[in-house]
């Protein structure tokens, strides 16, 4: 009996692995685009010190930045990212994920080559604008794709893996900055979109997207592939749930209210825009939007493009280039911890821990800067004498360690969790548009926080600027505690029903799991009240 049970368990484990492996492969192929995302975000960090003369100045380099040009270069890509985000919301609807991502790879190739061959400051700005459009284009589509193709048990892990990929790209480019010039680093980065374009040829489109295009057979084949080329009997239950959910979510509002079985109406853009104002979309939209705002203003994001010069200002005990690489390694390590732990700890608790430590590290950094760094100093100035010369040797590591804590704390929860929520909390009907708008707003705030960092330093000094970020982080902690629900291990249908319920307040943070599907009748059981989908 024991041998029979062991044989059965091994067979079940093998079956589970075979079912999950294609989902991992498809997610990884898409997530590899996030490596390019991370490198696109990191490029100002190695270009600005070189062209302002603060660090890594190449004798053969003829281009130069002023302080104002440097702050614009750090933020200009964020100005173009909303255009990429809005463009993705339109193009994704017609082309699907695979073709859309191949298209954005072409944009990235053009951007990296323009950086390498740039002969003027204007060309540099055009190159980062092109990269910014590509970065904005990929953010929401990749995460929605991963959210749609993966099972609830691994969805959190695979979406957090996307952020790990971005962190890896960020760290890799910082490492290249220690080994070669920014031009050569740009040329090396050009290889990444080429590889990702080839990878996208071997994965299927999302079955949800295929169903939305009335390609039911292709959707079923896609789901079979994603579940390990399983027989029809194995995936019929999940496909029935998916089909019912898609049919109900894509009905026009009048047909939903009349409970019409088949809806043949084509909604106008105006009607789709109205869908954005329904509670099942508006509630999660406002929550995720607010989460991203606190993420942007919690410190690390605004300082990221100026890491090398900040380490110079704090008189890092190790070379500032390598200090920024270690900073990136800590961020990537945090992404790994998030990938492993989110399934057990949950997104909500991980966010709270992350925001708390990020805020505390900002407070400690601000106190150190207030006590040690002259208040008239700016990280954009080159200083001949470091402030740490006044301190004992052991104390010079304090700001370096605090920066590492800030990096780890931010990337273990604050950074990945809102991106995971994008792939989960919106109804399929508005997922593309809502995700695109969220990312557009995110990049707009990114531009503001990055561009205004120089102005904040001049107005508040280094210590006051970091203190400001710490206070915002503390407010963000309260927001997460009061309003962000736990979505880990919940189905997309569970989450949508939660936000569709009129009786629930924003402070109701527990999502109920009680959906069942009758595969013979292809309808929801009486446990589920379909009115939530119809009225909200």
């Amino acid at each position: 009996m024991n041998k029979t049970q062991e044989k059965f368990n091994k067979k079940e484990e093998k079956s589970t692995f075979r079912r999950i492996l294609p989902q991992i492969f498809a997610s990884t192929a898409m997530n590899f685009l996030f490596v390019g995302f991370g490198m696109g975000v990191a490029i100002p960090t190695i270009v600005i010190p070189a062209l302002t003369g603060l660090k890594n100045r190449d004798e053969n380099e003829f281009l130069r930045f002023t302080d104002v040009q440097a702050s614009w270069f750090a933020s200009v890509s964020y100005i173009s990212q909303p255009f990429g985000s809005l463009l993705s919301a339109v193009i994704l609807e017609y082309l699907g994920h695979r073709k859309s991502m191949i298209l954005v790879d072409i944009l990235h190739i053009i951007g990296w080559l323009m950086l390498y061959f740039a002969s003027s400051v204007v060309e540099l700005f055009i190159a980062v604008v092109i990269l910014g459009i590509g970065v904005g284009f990929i953010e929401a589509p990749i995460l929605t794709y991963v959210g749609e193709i993966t099972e609830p048990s691994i969805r959190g892990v695979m979406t957090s893996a996307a952020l790990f990929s971005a962190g890896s790209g960020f760290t890799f480019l910082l490492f290249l900055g220690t080994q070669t010039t920014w031009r050569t680093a740009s040329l090396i980065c050009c290889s990444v979109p080429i590889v990702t374009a080839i990878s996208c040829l071997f994965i299927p489109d999302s079955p949800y997207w295929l169903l939305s295009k009335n390609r039911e057979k292709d959707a079923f084949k896609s789901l079979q592939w994603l579940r390990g080329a399983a027989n029809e009997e194995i995936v019929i239950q999940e496909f029935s749930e998916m089909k019912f959910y898609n049919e109900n979510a894509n009905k026009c509002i009048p047909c939903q209210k009349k409970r019409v079985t088949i809806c043949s109406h084509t909604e106008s853009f105006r009607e789709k825009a109205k869908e954005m104002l329904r509670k099942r979309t508006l509630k999660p939209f406002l929550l995720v939007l607010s989460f991203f705002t606190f993420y942007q203003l919690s410190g690390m994001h605004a300082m990221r493009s100026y890491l090398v010069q900040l380490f110079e200002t704090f008189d890092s005990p190790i070379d500032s280039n390598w200090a920024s690489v270690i900073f990136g390694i800590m961020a990537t390590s945090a992404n790994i911890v998030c990938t492993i732990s989110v399934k057990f700890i949950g997104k909500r608790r991980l966010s709270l821990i992350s925001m708390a430590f990020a805020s505390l590290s900002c407070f400690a950094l601000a106190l150190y800067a207030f006590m040690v760094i002259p208040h008239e100093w700016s990280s954009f100035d080159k200083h001949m004498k470091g402030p740490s010369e006044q301190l004992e040797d052991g104390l010079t590591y304090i700001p370096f360690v605090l920066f590492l804590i800030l990096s780890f704390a931010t990337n273990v929860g604050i950074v990945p969790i809102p991106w995971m929520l994008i792939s989960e909390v919106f109804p399929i009907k508005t997922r593309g548009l809502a995700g695109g708008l969220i990312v557009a707003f995110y990049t707009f705030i990114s531009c503001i926080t990055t561009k205004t960092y120089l102005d904040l330093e001049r107005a508040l000094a280094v210590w006051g600027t970091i203190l400001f970020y710490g206070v915002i982080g503390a407010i963000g902690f309260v927001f997460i505690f009061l309003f962000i629900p736990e979505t880990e291990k919940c189905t997309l249908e569970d989450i949508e029903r939660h936000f569709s319920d009129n009786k629930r307040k924003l402070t109701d943070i527990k999502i109920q799991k009680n959906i069942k599907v009758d595969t013979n009748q292809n309808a929801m059981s009486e446990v589920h009240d379909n009115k939530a989908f119809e009225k909200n």
Side-chain angles (χ1 to χ4, degrees), residues 37-328:
F37 170 95
M39 294 189 298
V41 168
I43 191 65
T45 308
I46 66 172
V47 174
I48 289 174
L51 298 192
T52 55
L54 293 174
K55 191 78 173 177
N56 305 329
R57 181 72 191 177
D58 185 2
E59 295 179 358
N60 298 320
E61 184 55 65
F62 53 91
L63 298 178
R64 282 172 173 77
F65 278 160
T66 65
D67 289 350
V68 175
Q69 285 176 329
S71 66
W72 274 113
F73 185 78
S75 56
V76 71
S77 67
Y78 294 116
I79 298 176
S80 60
Q81 284 180 32
F83 295 100
S85 302
L86 296 175
L87 193 64
S88 73
V90 177
I91 293 179
L92 185 66
E93 177 71 18
Y94 297 98
L95 296 183
H97 295 84
R98 283 200 312 162
K99 293 178 181 178
S100 297
M101 293 305 102
I102 292 173
L103 181 64
V104 81
D105 281 326
I106 296 173
L107 278 178
H108 278 165
I109 292 170
I110 294 172
W112 288 119
L113 289 178
M114 280 194 68
L115 271 177
Y116 178 72
F117 291 108
S119 58
S120 68
V121 171
V122 174
E123 290 180 17
L124 282 177
F125 275 76
I126 294 174
V128 293
V129 165
I130 292 174
L131 287 175
I133 292 174
V135 167
F137 194 103
I138 68 175
E139 289 169 315
I142 292 179
L143 293 170
T144 55
Y145 177 81
V146 173
E148 289 176 3
I149 68 166
T150 53
E151 300 173 19
S153 61
I154 64 168
R155 189 192 306 131
V157 172
M158 296 316 301
T159 49
S160 62
L163 279 303
F164 164 74
S165 300
S168 299
F170 184 86
T171 305
F172 178 67
L173 189 62
L174 294 180
F175 172 75
L176 288 178
T178 67
Q179 303 298 312
T180 186
T181 65
W182 61 268
R183 289 184 184 270
T184 304
S186 300
L187 188 62
I188 294 172
C189 291
C190 193
S191 62
V192 174
I194 296 174
V195 174
T196 56
I198 296 173
S199 301
C200 288
L201 296 174
F202 297 96
I203 60 175
D205 269 310
S206 162
Y208 280 99
W209 179 80
L210 292 168
L211 281 172
S212 71
K213 297 301 175 184
N214 297 318
R215 294 167 58 181
E216 188 172 321
K217 290 184 179 179
D218 291 335
F220 189 81
K221 289 180 181 179
S222 173
L223 187 61
Q224 276 190 304
W225 189 94
L226 291 166
R227 300 300 181 261
N231 295 327
E232 293 186 11
E233 293 79 8
I234 298 177
V235 296
I236 191 69
Q237 171 76 16
E238 183 178 359
F239 188 71
S240 296
E241 296 177 8
M242 190 179 292
K243 186 179 176 183
F244 178 87
Y245 173 59
N246 179 77
E247 288 173 351
N248 186 76
N250 282 296
K251 290 177 185 176
C252 65
I253 297 174
C255 287
Q256 286 185 359
K257 290 181 177 180
K258 295 177 182 178
R259 301 194 183 189
V260 175
T261 305
I262 299 176
C263 175
S264 58
H265 302 119
T266 302
E267 287 191 303
S268 64
F269 179 80
R270 183 179 179 183
E271 290 172 324
K272 289 183 179 179
K274 283 184 178 180
E275 180 68 23
M276 285 293 300
L277 299 177
R278 299 181 73 188
K279 290 184 179 180
R280 65 181 182 184
T281 301
L282 192 58
K283 282 183 181 179
F285 184 84
L286 294 175
L287 288 176
V288 177
L289 199 67
S290 301
F291 201 148
F292 268 113
T293 302
F294 287 113
Y295 153 38
Q296 290 285 344
L297 295 172
S298 61
M300 197 203 76
H301 190 278
M303 297 186 284
R304 185 169 57 190
S305 298
Y306 312 109
L307 278 177
V308 173
Q309 60 205 63
L310 275 169
F311 281 122
E312 289 284 319
T313 302
F314 278 88
D315 204 13
S316 171
I318 64 175
D319 180 79
S320 56
N321 286 318
W322 280 105
S324 64
V325 172
I326 297 172
F327 184 94

Side-chain angles (χ1 to χ4, degrees), residues 297 456 460 463-473:
L297 295 172
L456 281 175
L460 305 176
W463 74 270
T465 302
I466 299 176
L467 178 62
F468 169 77
Y469 295 138
V471 171
I472 298 297

Side-chain angles (χ1 to χ4, degrees), residues 294-525:
F294 287 113
Y295 153 38
Q296 290 285 344
L297 295 172
S298 61
M300 197 203 76
H301 190 278
M303 297 186 284
R304 185 169 57 190
S305 298
Y306 312 109
L307 278 177
V308 173
Q309 60 205 63
L310 275 169
F311 281 122
E312 289 284 319
T313 302
F314 278 88
D315 204 13
S316 171
I318 64 175
D319 180 79
S320 56
N321 286 318
W322 280 105
S324 64
V325 172
I326 297 172
F327 184 94
I329 292 173
M330 288 298 292
T332 306
S333 301
N335 293 145
I336 296 174
V337 172
C338 178
T339 302
I340 297 171
S341 62
V342 69
K343 186 175 180 179
F344 308 101
I345 299 177
K347 300 182 182 72
R348 172 181 160 80
R349 190 177 300 171
L350 202 58
S351 300
L352 289 169
I353 296 171
S354 177
M355 191 68 82
F357 276 92
S359 182
L360 290 173
S361 60
C362 280
F363 287 141
L365 272 170
L367 178 61
Y368 179 92
F370 178 79
M371 296 176 62
V372 176
I373 298 177
H375 294 184
E376 68 274 11
W377 277 24
S378 169
S379 63
F380 288 80
D381 301 327
K382 192 168 185 177
H383 309 290
M384 301 303 295
K385 184 178 180 181
S388 64
E389 292 183 11
Q390 310 170 30
L391 304 174
E392 297 179 8
D393 290 340
L395 297 179
T396 61
Y397 281 89
I398 290 177
F400 177 67
V401 172
L402 288 173
F403 269 113
L404 296 187
I405 294 173
L406 175 62
S407 175
F408 188 90
T410 303
N411 285 277
V412 81
I414 300 174
V415 173
I417 301 303
W419 291 110
M420 294 182 199
L421 294 178
I422 283 182
S423 69
E424 297 177 327
V425 297
F426 297 117
I428 186 174
K429 197 172 188 178
T430 56
R431 193 169 296 154
L433 180 59
L437 290 174
I438 286 284
V439 175
F441 178 83
Y442 157 79
T443 53
F444 173 72
I445 295 295
S446 296
C447 176
I448 292 176
T449 55
T450 306
K451 179 65 182 71
T452 57
Y453 180 81
L454 172 62
D455 301 310
L456 281 175
E457 261 201 11
R458 288 174 174 174
L460 305 176
V462 175
W463 74 270
T465 302
I466 299 176
L467 178 62
F468 169 77
Y469 295 138
V471 171
I472 298 297
I475 298 172
F477 176 88
V478 176
F479 167 80
I480 294 171
F481 180 80
L482 293 177
F483 301 114
I484 298 298
E486 180 57 73
T487 62
E488 189 62 24
K489 298 181 181 179
C490 296
T491 66
L492 299 179
E493 293 84 350
D494 289 337
I495 298 168
E496 180 174 345
R497 191 182 69 258
H498 172 82
F499 288 113
S500 299
D501 193 345
N502 270 335
K503 298 178 182 179
R504 291 186 179 275
K505 301 178 181 179
L506 280 175
T507 51
D508 291 335
I509 56 176
K510 186 175 182 180
I511 296 178
Q512 300 295 329
K513 307 174 187 178
N514 58 355
I515 291 183
K516 294 182 181 180
V517 172
D518 186 339
T519 56
N520 295 323
Q521 298 178 7
N522 195 28
M524 304 300 285
S525 70

